[in-house]
């Protein structure tokens, strides 16, 4: 049997650090980094005799995430202790939620590789505290613990095993990331670990109704490694089955350098967490009003913006998907539009040249150094014929280096388009006299010759001549010949 005879099943457990100012059970800052052990107090360091107090914002943010993903909100919730020993966990238990998570039974819509809509179920969203970090001592003396991250609030979003390919897993995570960014509950910086996923993968023969045995890759924090890890696991598991073996339930570590997974622990050393309600914390009771008030403050979500872009601005599915995948790009689009009222041009600039430059510079959309005023003016300058689109591209490059209004940039650089008829005519006549063959070609009906002549004129004027005027005048002059 081959890979086509198997069905892939994937479920994700996504951890997102919440962007509250303070930690979940004390008033220490949640800010990333800092000198080791400077964002800590006796509570987050688990000193004997200290007591946690739940940060109300954490509940609010988790409820926001639940409402944005169509979850039911648990009005009678609580915190539980999850007991395990690890040196980065000073209490030897993590305060989490067991049987009454704040949110359950939600879903998000994604697209699969064929562009069809698929619904991915969300089993639950619960709140919990992050652990500290172990740093290996640079002098070789072992490991040192940094508790700055201990007590940073997290939500864990657990999906149903509803994904059927690495593409679906990637699209699901991208969708979650964009929702969390839109509702402003997490900065979702994957490189800083604010968004990370445990990826569960299994395979089964097509037609089989029982799920296969899964493996779980822990703490994946880039889209690329998630896709690579899933593909590797699919191949590995199918090989095991094809060789007559059985997939073992294991926790794995994905190694980006070797492109392989390694076993961290198997089912035999699976932990018993001995969950029980935390006696130091009061129950979490949420009134209908409390929930409805949060619902009212939810912004428009990516899915609804997407539909609106297609309907109101005539954008394609693909364009609307790409724009709304990032809150920053989507906001830039809408704010620019409000000034220059040209949806097509605004969309094109954002998705082609701006996205290309972001890629080249390995920058995120939120790092774009200019705003809607700059982009709208750039588009207006092209519309008015003050600059050609070739010059506009140069202005854009400049905007990434030195932000200034585009009108100022073209003035300083002397990039104003030549739209003076006399000047254009001079160039046209000269190019015609130097390219007799192209003139003959044009007369013989070869339209491509016109493009060549315009190109020559552009070259001579360093891209500054007005292309519409060039086109028109070349045709007029050649018709006279
Ligand atoms: P745990 O917390 O021990 O990892 P859960 O039963 O809560 O276990 O499952 C965690 C994740 O694994 C969920 O996202 C779920 O959808 C996914 N999952 C469960 N069974 C499978 C399976 N057979 N194949 C793929 N994913 C699975
Ligand atoms: Mg798990
Ligand atoms: Zn603290």
């Amino acid at each position: 049997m081959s890979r086509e005879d198997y069905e892939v099943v994937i479920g994700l457990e996504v951890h997102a650090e919440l962007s509250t100012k303070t930690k979940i059970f004390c008033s220490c800052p949640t800010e990333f980094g800092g000198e080791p052990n400077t964002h800590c107090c006796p509570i987050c360091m688990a000193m004997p005799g200290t007591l946690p107090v739940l940060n109300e914002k954490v509940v609010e943010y988790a409820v926001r995430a639940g409402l944005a993903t169509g979850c039911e909100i648990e009005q009678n919730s609580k915190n539980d202790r999850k007991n395990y020993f690890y040196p980065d966990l000073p209490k030897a238990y993590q305060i989490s939620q067991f049987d009454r998570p704040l949110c359950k039974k939600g879903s998000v819509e994604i697209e699969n590789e064929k562009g069809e809509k698929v619904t991915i179920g969300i089993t639950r969203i619960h709140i919990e505290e992050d652990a500290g970090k172990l740093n290996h001592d640079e002098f070789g003396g072992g490991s040192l613990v940094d508790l700055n991250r201990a007590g940073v609030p997290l939500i864990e979003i657990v999906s149903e095993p509803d994904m059927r390919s690495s593409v679906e897993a990637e699209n699901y995570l991208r969708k979650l990331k964009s929702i969390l960014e839109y509702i402003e509950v997490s900065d979702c910086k994957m490189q800083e670990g604010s968004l990370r996923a445990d990826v569960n993968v299994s395979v089964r023969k097509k037609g089989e109704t029982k799920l296969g045995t899964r493996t779980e890759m822990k703490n994946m924090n880039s889209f690329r490694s998630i896709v690579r890890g899933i593909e590797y696991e699919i191949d590995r598991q199918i090989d095991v089955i094809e060789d007559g073996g059985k997939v073992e339930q294991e926790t794995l570590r994905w190694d980006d350098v070797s492109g392989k997974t390694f076993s961290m622990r198997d089912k035999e050393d699976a932990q018993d967490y001995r969950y029980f309600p935390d006696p130091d914390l009061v129950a979490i009771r949420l009134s209908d009003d409390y929930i409805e008030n949060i619902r009212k403050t939810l912004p428009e979500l990516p899915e609804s913006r997407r539909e609106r872009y297609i309907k109101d601005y005539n954008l394609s599915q693909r364009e609307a998907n790409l724009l709304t995948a990032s809150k920053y790009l989507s906001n830039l689009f809408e704010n620019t539009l409000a000034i220059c009222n040209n949806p097509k041009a605004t969309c094109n600039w954002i998705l082609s040249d701006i996205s290309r430059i972001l890629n080249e510079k390995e920058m995120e959309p939120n790092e774009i150094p200019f705003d809607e005023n700059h982009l709208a003016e750039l588009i207006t300058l092209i519309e008015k014929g003050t600059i050609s689109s070739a010059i506009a591209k140069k202005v854009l490059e400049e905007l990434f280096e030195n932000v200034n209004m585009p009108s100022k940039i073209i003035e300083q650089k002397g990039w104003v388009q030549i739209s003076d008829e006399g000047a254009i005519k001079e160039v046209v006549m000269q190019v015609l006299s130097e390219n007799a063959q192209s003139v003959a070609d044009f007369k013989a009906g070869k339209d491509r010759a016109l493009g060549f002549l315009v190109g020559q004129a552009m070259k001579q004027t360093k891209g500054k001549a007005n292309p519409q005027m060039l086109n028109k005048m070349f045709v007029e002059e050649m018709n006279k010949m």
Side-chain angles (χ1 to χ4, degrees):
M1 293 178 89
S2 68
R3 188 162 165 161
E4 280 65 51
D5 302 307
Y6 286 86
E7 182 180 44
V8 174
V9 175
I10 302 165
L12 258 52
E13 296 159 274
V14 175
H15 285 96
E17 282 183 356
L18 299 179
S19 42
T20 55
K21 289 207 173 61
T22 57
K23 290 187 180 177
I24 184 168
F25 299 118
C26 64
S27 51
C28 291
T30 54
E31 201 190 319
F32 177 77
E35 281 291 299
N37 300 306
T38 54
H39 302 165
C40 305
C41 72
I43 295 175
C44 48
M45 291 159 68
M47 290 299 171
T50 55
L51 285 173
V53 177
L54 179 59
N55 178 347
E56 223 182 297
K57 276 277 172 211
V58 171
V59 176
E60 183 189 320
Y61 281 22
V63 170
R64 268 170 92 74
L67 293 173
T69 50
C71 285
E72 292 171 13
I73 306 302
E74 174 62 72
Q75 292 185 267
N76 187 5
S77 186
K78 65 181 167 79
N79 294 108
D80 299 284
R81 289 188 183 178
K82 179 180 181 179
N83 297 280
Y84 68 94
F85 175 76
Y86 200 73
D88 65 5
L89 186 74
K91 293 195 291 291
Y93 60 82
Q94 178 192 29
I95 304 180
S96 178
Q97 297 196 284
F98 182 48
D99 53 341
R100 284 181 177 275
L102 274 173
C103 323
K104 55 179 193 274
K105 294 187 191 159
S107 65
V108 296
E109 296 240 303
I110 62 156
E111 268 174 25
N112 66 12
E113 42 270 77
K114 294 183 203 135
E116 300 157 344
K117 283 208 169 165
V118 208
T119 303
I120 307 299
I122 289 178
T123 317
R124 56 185 280 160
I125 303 178
H126 65 255
I127 53 173
E128 61 187 25
E129 57 182 334
D130 210 344
K133 240 183 208 157
L134 291 183
N135 296 320
H136 293 289
D137 180 3
E138 41 195 303
F139 307 107
S143 291
L144 302 171
V145 69
D146 173 10
L147 295 177
N148 283 353
R149 203 179 63 179
V152 167
L154 296 174
I155 47 176
E156 177 172 344
I157 306 170
V158 182
S159 86
E160 290 291 304
D162 284 347
M163 287 154 265
R164 294 292 173 267
S165 65
S166 58
V167 173
E168 289 186 18
E170 174 173 359
N171 289 352
Y172 167 75
L173 190 58
R174 286 196 189 278
K175 195 48 157 299
L176 270 191
K177 180 172 185 279
S178 83
I179 292 174
L180 297 177
E181 282 172 1
Y182 273 74
I183 63 174
E184 297 180 342
V185 302
S186 172
D187 65 17
C188 295
K189 288 186 184 156
M190 296 178 86
Q191 67 284 10
E192 291 182 4
S194 351
L195 188 76
R196 45 193 203 257
D198 299 343
V199 181
N200 297 271
V201 181
S202 66
V203 299
R204 61 181 170 188
K205 301 252 166 70
K206 279 194 178 147
E208 177 72 64
T209 49
K210 242 182 79 203
L211 290 177
T213 304
R214 71 181 153 117
T215 59
E216 176 174 3
M217 289 177 278
K218 282 279 187 197
N219 276 322
M220 310 280 280
N221 67 352
S222 89
F223 288 107
R224 200 174 112 82
S225 36
I226 288 172
V227 170
R228 286 178 72 205
I230 291 173
E231 292 299 323
Y232 176 85
E233 268 305 290
I234 297 172
D235 287 338
R236 191 189 65 82
Q237 293 183 13
I238 292 177
D239 281 349
V240 168
I241 297 170
E242 288 290 306
D243 288 348
K246 262 192 183 163
V247 175
E248 298 290 338
Q249 185 170 338
E250 289 180 297
T251 304
L252 305 172
R253 180 177 62 80
W254 165 255
D255 181 60
D256 240 340
V257 178
S258 61
K260 289 183 177 153
T261 52
F262 294 93
S263 183
M264 288 166 71
R265 52 177 187 263
D266 60 26
K267 210 175 172 183
E268 263 61 63
D269 21 74
Q271 317 229 10
D272 173 6
Y273 294 118
R274 296 170 294 126
Y275 280 100
F276 65 88
D278 193 305
D280 290 340
L281 288 158
V282 294
I284 306 168
R285 294 277 155 77
L286 305 179
S287 69
D288 291 336
D289 279 355
Y290 175 86
I291 297 168
E292 286 320 304
N293 282 335
I294 295 176
R295 197 192 300 277
K296 276 186 215 142
T297 67
L298 283 181
E300 188 186 19
L301 295 174
E303 193 56 30
S304 144
R305 284 199 187 188
R306 207 182 78 91
E307 310 273 294
R308 200 159 50 77
Y309 290 2
I310 296 171
K311 206 167 126 267
D312 296 354
Y313 305 131
N314 247 323
L315 301 189
S316 70
Q317 288 244 15
R318 186 183 155 272
E319 290 169 332
N321 281 347
L322 289 170
L323 279 179
T324 55
S326 152
K327 180 183 85 173
Y328 301 98
L329 293 187
S330 178
N331 285 350
L332 179 61
F333 173 71
E334 296 198 6
N335 297 339
T336 304
L337 209 55
I339 307 171
C340 75
N341 196 25
N342 188 338
K344 201 73 204 169
T346 308
C347 169
N348 286 343
W349 278 100
I350 294 176
L351 295 186
S352 57
D353 291 285
I354 294 177
S355 297
R356 173 183 52 79
I357 296 173
L358 287 177
N359 259 336
E360 283 167 8
K361 296 187 182 287
E362 295 184 11
M363 284 166 69
E364 294 292 321
N366 62 334
E367 296 168 317
I368 295 176
F370 55 89
D371 64 21
E372 60 270 18
N373 295 306
H374 302 95
L375 182 56
E377 197 188 67
L378 186 68
I379 291 169
T380 312
L381 287 169
I382 307 168
E383 281 174 349
K384 287 200 299 205
T386 314
I387 53 173
S388 63
S389 41
I391 294 290
K393 282 179 207 269
K394 296 211 293 192
V395 174
L396 184 71
E397 301 275 351
E398 191 59 27
L399 279 175
F400 272 91
E401 299 303 325
N402 270 311
V403 191
N404 203 344
M405 286 312 279
S407 51
K408 286 271 164 354
I409 295 177
I410 59 173
E411 192 188 302
Q412 278 166 10
K413 304 258 178 190
W415 286 345
V416 178
Q417 178 159 276
I418 305 170
S419 298
D420 172 70
E421 260 190 59
I424 296 271
K425 182 152 187 183
E426 208 170 291
V427 184
V428 167
M429 296 318 281
Q430 191 185 343
V431 170
L432 286 176
S433 70
E434 286 165 0
N435 293 282
Q437 185 55 47
S438 299
V439 177
D441 288 349
F442 179 78
K443 293 241 164 217
K446 289 186 190 155
D447 289 343
R448 277 218 327 254
L450 178 60
F452 173 77
L453 293 167
V454 171
Q456 291 302 305
M458 275 299 194
K459 219 178 198 174
Q460 286 207 5
T461 57
K462 299 199 174 70
K464 289 197 292 189
N466 179 323
Q468 285 84 22
M469 290 179 72
L470 281 179
N471 257 297
K472 199 165 149 259
M473 206 172 284
F474 269 118
V475 174
E476 279 173 13
E477 289 304 324
M478 286 193 285
N479 284 340
K480 286 189 211 154
M481 289 161 90

